[in-house]
Amino acid sequence: MTPRTTSSLAALALGASLAACNTAPTAPTVSIEPAEAYTADELVAVYSGATDDNGDTLEYRFTWYKDGERQAELVNVDAIASAYTKKNEVWKVDVTAFDGKDQGAVGSAEVTILNTPPVATVEIAPAEPTTEDRVRTVTTKRDADLDATTIRYAWILNGSPQSFEGDTLPDTRTNKGDVWEVQVIPSDGDVEGEPATLQFTIANTPPEVVSASINKSAPNKFDTLVCVGDGFTDIDDDPEGYNVEWLVNGEPYSTDLELDLADLNRGDRIRCRLTAFDGEDTGNTVQSDPVTLQNTPPALTSVVIGPEDPLVTDTVSATLEGGVDPDGDTVSFIYEWKVNSIASGTARTLPSSRFKKDDRIQLTVYPTDGEDVGDGVESNIIVASNNAPSVDDVSISPTSPYTDSIITAEAFTSDPDGDSVSVVYEWYVNGTRLSVSDAELDGDTWFDKGDEIYFIVAPSDGTSSGDKVTSATVTAINSA
């Protein structure tokens, strides 16, 4: 052992004296943040206020306790990770200041780890439900304290809470346009977490149709085709409706609801496609069987017969308008004459031999292209007029009458209608009409020698009067 010298002893004495004079630091003010700590929080020791009378630089030391038990692995750290903490644990930290020589008084703080409410999230399947769907909730839950978590469901329809509490909404409870809200409320047995809320609207369900057909099986150009749907169903009770597409010879042609055939050609094959439509969404599409555009009969516009008041001596003829064929075929005509509704001829004209006075005459004309006969067109109705009788010949006798002779007039008449004919005689002497209308004229009364005598006769059938005829003139001679 080396003996100490006088100088070394002096140094030791001086050190001891200095040590005896050091003042330990004061206790710091300590808190733990957060003040309300949960399992997921990091605990941080917050300290300040330690002082040292000697002005030494201070170093802080930390000791952590869990439920009163010192945590040896958590030495001289001012924060501990959330992995070390659990619900209901009481954590304490002691903080002291060290000035290099002495450790100061202890400042402490503690905090109790609070229960963390559970958390839930919710989705629905299907994501866009319709009235056909059961709406199933897909829920996830998490509890930071690893507590057993239960879920409570609350349903709200159009803003009104419902008594229904299940995790699946039956399709029997939904209608198109309903606005539903589901609230998923988690609980760990102690507290309930914030509700996870999801709002959704019940979507429209597209309609369906079973089949399509065309209203005409053998159409021609005069027809209008309609695509007819069969078996339309809509679970939302929306009105029946369709989108239509027409195909001609396999190519898209029109999307009109009805198809006008005027511009198509004989032999074209026509189909229609129907897509069910409820005014909001389209459903399935169906296609009809094809139909073939047939020959189109020609058409006639009008038929007029005349003359308007025919006599039995007239021939009745027809004037036609129209007579066109949509397919461009040559048009001919079939004539059907009727007299008093009885078939009376098939020629273009009706001869006078086929009718008589007061008969009602009408013609029906059918256009034909040699393959099909078009619709018949009826003419106006005309009524045969009465034919006036005629005087075919007259005679006056004697041709050289005496002043005392009786002159006799005779008229030979005929009537085209076969009516009975009466005549009226007008006697003239020297150009002056007499008041006599009989067939005989007495010379003793009405004429003298040298007078010129003649008559005019007028025929009548009781309805019409014929033309007047004048007889020859005779001259009265002297009586013996």
Side-chain angles (χ1 to χ4, degrees), residues 407-463:
I407 301 176
T408 301
E410 186 174 11
F412 301 94
T413 62
S414 63
D415 187 273
D417 302 316
D419 295 331
S420 174
V421 180
S422 62
V423 295
V424 175
Y425 296 98
E426 300 174 2
W427 290 96
Y428 290 84
V429 175
N430 299 323
T432 300
R433 182 177 176 178
L434 306 179
S435 59
V436 180
S437 60
D438 295 334
E440 294 180 346
L441 184 67
D442 188 346
D444 288 335
T445 303
W446 298 104
F447 55 84
D448 295 318
K449 180 180 72 172
D451 287 343
E452 292 184 341
I453 306 146
Y454 65 91
F455 67 88
I456 297 175
V457 62
S460 174
D461 60 6
T463 301

Side-chain angles (χ1 to χ4, degrees), residues 52 146 149 207 355:
D52 187 84
L146 303 181
T149 304
F355 59 90

Side-chain angles (χ1 to χ4, degrees), residues 247-281:
L247 306 175
V248 176
N249 299 324
E251 297 297 326
Y253 183 79
S254 171
T255 56
D256 293 337
L257 295 180
E258 297 181 349
L259 184 63
D260 187 339
L261 304 176
D263 295 330
L264 299 184
N265 298 312
R266 179 170 52 196
D268 283 344
R269 288 172 59 83
I270 305 165
R271 288 181 184 268
C272 71
R273 287 176 180 161
L274 274 188
T275 300
F277 182 60
D278 60 8
E280 188 173 345
D281 291 311

Side-chain angles (χ1 to χ4, degrees), residues 141-329:
K141 54 190 177 180
R142 179 174 56 84
D143 188 273
D145 303 317
L146 303 181
D147 294 330
T149 304
T150 58
I151 296 294
R152 179 169 63 88
Y153 296 88
W155 295 87
I156 300 172
L157 171 59
N158 298 326
S160 299
Q162 304 294 298
S163 59
F164 175 70
E165 294 182 351
D167 64 349
T168 300
L169 183 64
D171 57 1
T172 55
R173 297 183 67 99
T174 61
N175 295 295
K176 183 180 80 169
D178 283 349
V179 179
W180 281 92
E181 181 179 300
V182 60
Q183 294 181 348
V184 175
I185 305 154
S187 174
D188 61 5
D190 292 327
V191 294
E192 289 185 339
E194 288 293 325
T197 301
L198 178 64
Q199 189 178 87
F200 58 92
T201 301
I202 301 301
N204 179 61
T205 302
E208 292 186 355
V209 61
V210 175
S211 63
S213 60
I214 296 177
N215 63 321
K216 299 282 186 179
S217 59
N220 61 50
K221 289 189 176 184
F222 291 143
D223 292 322
T224 298
L225 298 189
V226 178
C227 196
V228 181
D230 183 56
F232 180 92
T233 56
D234 188 280
I235 197 169
D236 302 314
D237 294 326
D238 291 325
E240 181 174 357
Y242 302 100
N243 292 332
V244 181
E245 181 182 27
W246 293 95
L247 306 175
V248 176
N249 299 324
E251 297 297 326
Y253 183 79
S254 171
T255 56
D256 293 337
L257 295 180
E258 297 181 349
L259 184 63
D260 187 339
L261 304 176
D263 295 330
L264 299 184
N265 298 312
R266 179 170 52 196
D268 283 344
R269 288 172 59 83
I270 305 165
R271 288 181 184 268
C272 71
R273 287 176 180 161
L274 274 188
T275 300
F277 182 60
D278 60 8
E280 188 173 345
D281 291 311
T282 56
N284 66 317
T285 299
V286 292
Q287 181 169 277
S288 72
D289 291 332
V291 297
T292 301
L293 186 59
Q294 306 298 308
N295 177 67
T296 303
L300 186 61
T301 304
S302 67
V303 178
V304 178
I305 58 174
E308 186 173 349
D309 297 308
L311 302 175
V312 294
T313 55
D314 294 329
T315 296
V316 179
S317 60
T319 301
L320 310 182
E321 289 187 7
V324 295
D325 187 86
D327 301 316
D329 298 329

